[in-house]
Amino acid sequence: MSNADAIKKFVIDEFLPDVAPEDLAVEYDLLADGVIDSLGLLKLIAWVEDHFALSVHDTDLDPNNFRSVQAIDEFIDAARSQVAGS
């Protein structure tokens, strides 16, 4: 399962139970459309940290990093690159 598929599954399971995975576009804006609120964002960040074994630092808390499945996937890739490059 790709990162995007895992993220999509989590978002659907937690926030959009009536949506089929193929109906959730990876660029769909989860924040602007009210799918994820501030508490949901904290839940999402905790899941990302746990599921992908990453630390999300205060400087990473830009909402744009968590705006869509695609943005989350790109954030994870960038965070892993930073860790690998350290």
Side-chain angles (χ1 to χ4, degrees):
M1 177 181 284
S2 72
N3 289 349
D5 289 339
I7 297 161
K8 191 181 281 195
K9 181 180 179 338
F10 176 79
V11 168
I12 289 170
D13 289 348
E14 295 295 323
F15 306 106
L16 296 167
D18 298 330
V19 174
E22 60 273 7
D23 293 335
L24 179 59
V26 295
E27 67 277 351
Y28 180 76
D29 194 326
L30 302 164
L31 301 178
D33 290 336
V35 173
I36 297 178
D37 60 12
S38 57
L39 292 176
L41 188 56
L42 293 175
K43 187 175 192 176
L44 173 64
I45 291 167
W47 177 82
V48 165
E49 288 182 317
D50 183 57
H51 188 82
F52 296 100
L54 293 172
S55 293
V56 178
H57 303 286
D58 291 345
T59 56
D60 300 323
L61 295 179
D62 180 348
N64 290 323
N65 287 336
F66 303 97
R67 186 163 298 286
S68 66
V69 170
Q70 182 176 349
I72 299 164
D73 190 21
E74 290 170 359
F75 167 75
I76 291 165
D77 286 344
R80 283 185 171 159
S81 293
Q82 266 187 330
V83 170
S86 296

